[in-house]
Amino acid sequence: MITSISLDEILQRISTYPQSNIWLAIVANNSEHQELIQNLEETLSIFTGYNVVAISGQEGIMLV
């Protein structure tokens, strides 16, 4: 089931586990939401102090 949560809730969840590795998946049409994705990357990077990376599936499927 896919659910929607606010940025505040995301930041609260991250702050609950400050020493943990956290993975977050956001599925969006990159071309329509590029500014939102960039703002989210910047906000999460500032809040956590870690590098945040967006992985695009535009060139096909990537398995990690």
Side-chain angles (χ1 to χ4, degrees):
M1 176 165 84
I2 297 175
T3 58
S4 175
I5 62 173
S6 69
L7 179 57
D8 287 338
E9 188 171 347
I10 291 171
L11 297 177
Q12 287 175 352
R13 289 182 185 189
I14 291 171
S15 67
T16 302
Y17 305 101
Q19 300 302 318
S20 299
N21 291 323
I22 296 174
W23 289 80
L24 174 68
I26 298 174
V27 179
N29 180 326
N30 193 28
S31 63
E32 292 180 10
H33 299 96
Q34 186 60 37
E35 185 177 341
L36 172 66
I37 293 167
Q38 289 173 341
N39 288 340
L40 184 57
E41 282 182 88
E42 184 178 320
T43 299
L44 291 175
S45 180
I46 291 168
F47 183 79
T48 64
Y50 294 105
N51 291 332
V52 176
V53 178
I55 300 171
S56 171
Q58 187 174 22
E59 299 300 321
I61 296 172
M62 182 171 120
L63 300 175
V64 180

